[in-house]
Amino acid sequence: MKNTIIDLRSDTVTKPTKEMLDAMFSAKVGDDVFGDDPTVKQLEEKVAKMFGKEAALFTPSGTMANQVGINVHVSPGDEVICDESSHIYNYEGGGIAFNSGASVKLIKGDRGRITAEQVLECINPDNEHFASTKLVSIENTANKGGGSCYDIKEVRRISKVCKDNKLGFHLDGARLFNALTESGDTTAETGALFDSVSICLSKGLGAPVGSVLTGSKEFIYKARRVRKKFGGGMRQVGYLAAAGIFALDNNIDRLKDDHRRAMEIGKVLEGCSFVENVLPVETNIIVFRLNDKYSDTRFLQLLEEKGILAVGFGPQTIRFVTHLDFTEEMLEDVAGVLREM
Ligand SMILES: *Cc1c(COP(=O)(O)O)cnc(C)c1O
């Protein structure tokens, strides 16, 4: 077989294309901590406008976008409601506790998705024994749920519960564009339901670095101060913002190709003797469980010997993620390797 590595570990592994690099090299830049970088401003205005928000903030990572957002919403001793498998709780280094001193109430959702009824049950009474519930955060698509998407009707119900109970509502939209590609919902409809939304430019959209947090003018004013405290104020960062603008302009429509390829891999896996089950493939993430034919470490090793990289995602559980640099030819290769195992 060929010596190219097929990297299905994450959609963060993509490298900028020639066109994206050209956009980056020709970016106009300035010192963004002084508010002087026109390309960062352009990206922030673009994202705010897409979501019908007043303002936005460029951050170095999705983790920082979420953690800055959470920090603006809560004070020490407050409580955040989210699904038990959510990224903000599991994969951000305990950041809610470390950065914001807040506690978390976890919900057992359906493949990462929670309901308005579940949220309602988790809101603490106004009583000195309890942490004050201040924020609800959901993830769309839900990573650990295998790239599952929310039905916007449920998001509307949750949004109403938040309004009725004076809670903030945050969207971890690291892969929101994957979700919108499948649901057909718009960024404007989505933005209207949340107080704050974070999106990643460096996942399926293919930029090398960067995320954006969007919300009201007042929210983003506070977020800018928090970003500085967290060490995320950046200087001539328009070079990276230019990659983000390029990604938003060029790489959203093609996400459907990633989804089609993921669904094909899902189908192949359904027919493999070593597979216990495959979570329904809705977007670009494939999560499956191995039976006892191979241990998870052995399986990953066998794949690696064939030049295919993937990650373990819990006991006997494997995740593949399709992306911009995963081609039709690579799909054929992966399908062939899996069928032979
Ligand atoms: C990747 C990801 C993030 C942010 O990750 P960074 O690596 O910090 O950019 C946030 N939420 C979800 C669901 C993610 O998959």
Side-chain angles (χ1 to χ4, degrees):
M1 230 175 69
K2 51 227 81 190
N3 39 18
T4 40
I5 297 284
I6 300 179
D7 198 342
L8 293 172
R9 287 174 303 171
S10 177
D11 45 7
T12 55
V13 301
T14 56
K15 307 220 170 86
T17 56
K18 163 106 181 32
E19 292 73 24
M20 184 179 275
L21 286 171
D22 286 344
M24 293 169 74
F25 280 127
S26 58
K28 292 199 171 53
V29 299
D31 187 328
D32 184 53
V33 178
F34 284 114
D36 282 351
D37 192 303
T39 311
V40 173
K41 283 216 175 89
Q42 193 192 333
L43 171 66
E44 290 173 342
E45 279 164 18
K46 184 180 179 71
V47 173
K49 192 158 172 250
M50 285 172 93
F51 286 90
K53 295 291 187 201
E54 290 169 342
L57 184 71
F58 187 47
T59 61
S61 69
T63 298
M64 193 184 284
N66 284 331
Q67 292 296 326
V68 165
I70 290 166
N71 192 265
V72 175
H73 282 291
V74 305
S75 302
D78 289 344
E79 192 157 87
V80 180
I81 296 175
C82 62
D83 181 81
E84 62 178 2
S85 69
S86 51
H87 196 282
I88 59 164
Y89 177 70
N90 288 286
Y91 301 119
E92 299 187 4
I96 299 176
F98 185 83
N99 299 313
S100 299
S103 68
V104 177
K105 182 102 86 190
L106 297 176
I107 292 178
K108 212 179 246 325
D110 168 33
R111 285 188 284 127
R113 296 163 303 185
I114 62 178
T115 67
E117 287 71 31
Q118 288 176 311
V119 170
L120 207 47
E121 281 169 17
C122 285
I123 300 170
N124 289 333
D126 182 10
N127 171 307
E128 67 184 19
H129 290 84
F130 300 104
S132 356
T133 307
K134 279 287 160 58
L135 175 67
V136 176
S137 179
I138 68 168
E139 197 173 300
N140 198 18
T141 67
N143 177 17
K144 225 158 180 218
S148 55
C149 305
Y150 268 91
D151 181 339
I152 197 163
K153 290 196 211 83
E154 196 57 47
V155 181
R156 276 197 198 104
R157 284 185 210 113
I158 302 174
S159 180
K160 179 160 191 312
V161 167
C162 290
K163 280 210 176 66
D164 292 348
N165 292 278
K166 298 195 169 53
L167 307 178
F169 193 23
H170 175 74
L171 172 62
D172 176 353
R175 296 191 180 83
L176 179 67
F177 292 102
N178 297 88
L180 299 183
T181 295
E182 292 306 312
S183 68
D185 303 322
T186 65
T187 47
E189 286 171 296
T190 305
L193 300 175
F194 294 90
D195 299 299
S196 54
V197 175
S198 69
I199 58 161
C200 279
L201 304 165
S202 60
K203 298 252 160 98
L205 298 187
V209 176
S211 281
V212 182
L213 177 68
T214 183
S216 69
K217 213 167 145 188
E218 189 194 350
F219 186 90
I220 295 300
Y221 176 79
K222 292 177 185 162
R224 188 172 292 275
R225 295 189 67 101
V226 175
R227 183 186 65 173
K228 190 75 177 77
K229 270 196 285 198
F230 286 2
M234 299 177 286
R235 305 294 177 175
Q236 285 73 28
V237 74
Y239 294 116
L240 295 177
I245 293 168
F246 183 91
L248 289 167
D249 286 340
N250 296 281
N251 293 345
I252 294 178
D253 285 347
R254 59 154 307 286
L255 290 172
K256 58 184 185 302
D257 299 332
D258 295 344
H259 299 177
R260 180 177 49 75
R261 290 180 187 131
M263 283 167 205
E264 288 197 23
I265 294 176
K267 268 188 232 141
V268 171
L269 286 168
E270 298 274 4
C272 289
S273 65
F274 53 84
V275 170
E276 177 86 30
N277 64 52
V278 187
L279 287 187
V281 181
E282 296 187 29
T283 50
N284 69 329
I285 298 179
I286 306 129
V287 173
F288 59 101
R289 259 188 91 87
L290 300 167
N291 58 27
D292 53 15
K293 182 167 177 188
Y294 301 116
S295 72
D296 45 14
T297 44
R298 179 72 189 133
F299 180 76
L300 289 170
Q301 191 186 356
L302 287 171
L303 279 184
E304 195 167 346
E305 282 166 17
K306 302 280 186 194
I308 300 169
L309 303 182
V311 293
F313 218 47
Q316 287 297 87
T317 307
I318 306 293
R319 186 187 75 170
F320 292 159
V321 188
T322 61
H323 52 73
L324 192 59
D325 292 352
F326 178 69
T327 62
E328 206 63 26
E329 197 194 357
M330 292 174 179
L331 171 65
E332 297 296 312
D333 288 348
V334 169
V337 167
L338 292 173
R339 285 197 186 99
E340 276 170 23
M341 282 177 83

